[in-house]
Amino acid sequence: MNSAKPLVGSFVRIQKRDLQSLVDELKAVHDRVVGPREIDSAIVYDDLDHVDQLPIGVIDHQEGGVYRLTHESSDSHFDYVVGPQSLKSFLFPPHETISESFRKDGQWEIQAVETPATRIAVLGPRACDLRGLAIQDKVFLEGPYVDPGYKRRRDALFIVAVNCRRSVATCFCHAMDCGPAVTSHFDLALTEMDECFAVEIGTSAGGVAMDATSWEPMSETEVAQAKEVSVELEESMRNGTSARQMETGGIRELLMDNLEHPRWQEVADRCLSCGNCTMVCPTCFCSSADEVADLSGDHVRRERSWASCFTAEHSYMHSGNVRKTTRSRYRQWLTHKLATWQDQFDSSGCTGCGRCITWCPVGIDLTEEVAAIRGE
Amino acid sequence: MVDRQSVTPGNPWVAQLARIQGIQQELPSVATYDLVLEDPTVAEAFKFQPGQFNMLYLPGFGEAAISISSDPSHLASLQHTVRAAGNVTTALSRVHVGDQLGVRGPFGSSWPLEACRGKDVVIACGGIGLPPLRPLIYYMIQHREEFGRVHLLYGARTPGELLFTDEFPPWQAAGIEMAVTVDLGYDDWTGDIGVVPVLFHRLNLNAHKTIVMTCGPEVMMRFVIFEALARGIDPRNIYLSMERNMQCAVGLCGACQLGPKFVCKDGPVFTYEQMEPYLMLEDL
Ligand SMILES: Cc1cc2nc3c(=O)[nH]c(=O)nc-3n(C[C@H](O)[C@H](O)[C@H](O)COP(=O)(O)OP(=O)(O)OC[C@H]3O[C@@H](n4cnc5c(N)ncnc54)[C@H](O)[C@@H]3O)c2cc1C
Ligand code: SF4
Ligand code: SF4
Ligand code: FES
């Protein structure tokens, strides 16, 4: 073991089998360690005790409406990319009790529900998902009001990110300036090399965790080699090998000046309004608040749940639904992601993760929709 | 800017308890609830600007966004005038004096008091659109000398559906020039018949020193805006209060989006200049 902790910003090397020491250390200081697991033919986040549980040698194939895994006899730990889940479900859970009311002797008492956050260390998020996290931070932490539950969970999250070596056909992080290189919002970032993992130290907590491994310093040449992994992947994505493309120049005006474009109706004719895209999207943050009462009505929970702009309830008003058609709902979703998000939060609402393309049952592809409106 | 302090600075999702100290049945389906916040420190800190709203909470039923309809300088009586429309508002129509409910707020932008100073003012509203403007009317009466002519154009479907009619004579006596219209008049109705925007025809406005504020059904507001624009009033001097579904009122739930705006935190009061690209679009 090394005597000094690795410094923030530095790169160190660990042998592949030494990843287990890191997992053990994370297990010791966090309530849960989660990582990518192959469950029911998809890569999802689940509890990780042992590195052997990672989908080693698994490769994913993604296309509009298609997700398929194949198994190869390689020792690559992370050559699948993103599955249906992102970090969103850890920080902004699909259901959460936000307050509770109790009635005793005819008097109400209303209490905040502020359960301490589970301290989670997550292994595996990619560049696109770290951007998704940064975008949700802006929504939940940086507006006039802070979401207290999100803040508690966010403060308790430890991130071991992974630099992609491979993309799938639905990826377009390069076009959204989100990846494939991991650049911020991580404690540690791994790059898988032939014989070892290169580990970039993002925070002092990351440095402390690395201390449990037999890390070795990396030479400048070795660091350059590790960084080259992302550079090469980005180049191949730009050249159109295994990636979607999207021209983002002037996209806000393009969409907002074309709110009556016939393409909205064409996509609406295919769209099922199922809302899958909003569920898998790492940045979608809409929610509804509903009452859950016990039989007596004396104990009431107020529950916040993920909502989707594809439902009728989302825009319901007593005078009628504002968005009555699939056309208007798809338009709301796409213009929000790519255009009005910029007005609201100073960035795009899309990270180029491609999930909405893969998990759309009819394979609707936002990059195609944008190109069509551009007249390409 | 808008006063953003909330009664629940710590957790914006959680309501504070209030007690109903009075209920005034205004119409068969509309009542004004006079609330007092139970926690004295919370009550002490509560201030609002005309045009802001609260989320009223009935445990087991849910929340509704309701504008504060009382005098902003008389905080001992926080009034909310509510039309029984659906689930929560109908449950509210069954509560009694002494009952409790939850309050979160005040939220949102307010009517442009600063912009109105030294100007003539046209307030054009329909039906349940008057209560969100009543705090402004009280303010203007108390500071009458700061404003030029103040016109209040108000309409309802029938004479029986006009709100706050008892207050019309004192308002007029205080220098508010009122014109009231109904869609359907009965035999004893001697006032105007027709929609609110038509009342513009009798005003002799100086376009360069007039501020227009409107609240009511979206169609009515659109016609009010047409009338104002036709008289040369600048889109920046026309203000309207928008309604959208609201789950959080604090910019966290996404429900209230209207183009790039969040109605809860950027609105509900907007200039027509802000709304112009979106207001006339069907289904946006
Ligand atoms: C900023 C603002 C100020 C308002 N001020 C007043 C007021 O002073 N007096 C008054 O009577 N009404 C006012 N409303 C309208 C009032 O909020 C709705 O009538 C009320 O939410 C209906 O709820 P409900 O549960 O009774 O109806 P339901 O039809 O059962 O509604 C179900 C849900 O839909 C949503 N919803 C339905 N209608 C509306 C609506 N018009 N606006 C927003 N959300 C809606 C709510 O989330 C509600 O919980 C205001 C709305 C907004 C946005
Ligand atoms: S819009 Fe689609 S590609 Fe963009 S972040 Fe959301 S799921 Fe990913
Ligand atoms: S979009 Fe980029 S960062 Fe995300 S999985 Fe694909 S290649 Fe990796
Ligand atoms: S009501 Fe939730 S964001 Fe506006």
Side-chain angles (χ1 to χ4, degrees), chain A residues 86-345:
Chain A
S86 62
L87 295 173
K88 176 168 90 169
S89 36
F90 297 117
L91 297 172
F92 168 41
H95 298 282
E96 179 185 12
T97 301
I98 46 183
S99 73
E100 269 184 299
S101 303
F102 301 92
R103 184 165 49 193
K104 246 216 270 27
D105 306 326
Q107 298 299 304
W108 283 105
E109 193 185 317
I110 305 177
Q111 291 174 357
V113 174
E114 297 187 336
T115 19
T118 308
R119 286 166 305 157
I120 298 178
V122 58
L123 172 64
R126 310 303 167 102
C128 53
D129 281 350
L130 298 179
R131 178 62 66 89
L133 173 96
I135 290 173
Q136 288 219 324
D137 280 357
K138 198 138 203 181
V139 173
F140 289 121
L141 303 178
E142 294 165 34
Y145 295 91
V146 170
D147 187 82
Y150 184 93
K151 179 162 185 4
R152 282 195 304 280
R153 291 181 289 266
R154 181 72 179 85
D155 289 344
L157 188 69
F158 184 95
I159 296 171
V160 185
V162 168
N163 279 300
C164 292
R165 297 203 289 193
R166 184 184 157 262
S167 62
V168 297
T170 47
C171 290
F172 58 106
C173 60
H174 66 292
M176 304 312 293
D177 269 329
C178 297
V182 164
T183 54
S184 65
H185 294 79
F186 60 89
D187 294 286
L188 295 170
L190 307 183
T191 307
E192 188 163 12
M193 311 297 287
D194 287 342
E195 300 296 331
C196 64
F197 287 109
V199 185
E200 185 180 356
I201 314 298
T203 60
S204 51
V208 171
M210 282 309 285
D211 220 17
T213 68
S214 305
W215 63 273
E216 292 165 311
M218 282 170 76
S219 71
E220 262 175 51
T221 325
E222 287 170 321
V223 171
Q225 275 171 357
K227 288 185 175 169
E228 192 55 25
V229 169
S230 302
V231 175
E232 267 175 32
L233 174 59
E234 179 163 356
E235 221 150 87
S236 84
M237 291 174 81
R238 283 195 198 284
N239 292 336
T241 336
S242 201
R244 290 294 199 264
Q245 309 298 330
M246 186 154 76
E247 168 59 48
T248 56
I251 199 165
R252 185 194 179 278
E253 286 63 37
L254 174 76
L255 296 177
M256 297 314 279
D257 291 347
N258 281 295
L259 293 172
E260 302 285 18
H261 196 284
R263 184 71 188 191
W264 299 118
Q265 188 54 51
E266 289 166 36
V267 64
D269 290 341
R270 292 191 292 141
C271 174
L272 308 176
S273 225
C274 66
N276 270 17
C277 50
T278 57
M279 299 296 118
V280 294
C281 179
T283 70
C284 275
F285 62 87
C286 286
S287 66
S288 65
D290 300 289
E291 300 291 291
V292 184
D294 70 1
L295 280 179
S296 67
D298 291 339
H299 176 207
V300 179
R301 286 184 295 122
R302 192 150 175 78
E303 191 167 272
R304 172 179 59 172
S305 307
W306 286 0
S308 168
C309 52
F310 283 89
T311 65
E313 306 86 75
H314 185 72
S315 70
Y316 173 83
M317 291 208 291
H318 193 73
S319 46
N321 293 321
V322 176
R323 297 184 203 101
K324 291 180 267 301
T325 59
T326 302
R327 171 182 176 272
S328 62
R329 295 179 200 161
Y330 187 85
R331 181 177 66 185
Q332 167 62 20
W333 182 70
L334 195 71
T335 54
H336 187 214
K337 286 286 121 161
L338 298 173
T340 53
W341 208 291
Q342 299 183 28
D343 300 86
Q344 298 171 347
F345 301 108

Side-chain angles (χ1 to χ4, degrees), chain A residues 172 281-282 333 337 349-356 366:
Chain A
F172 58 106
C281 179
W333 182 70
K337 286 286 121 161
C350 174
T351 70
C353 76
R355 286 186 179 89
C356 55
L366 77 172

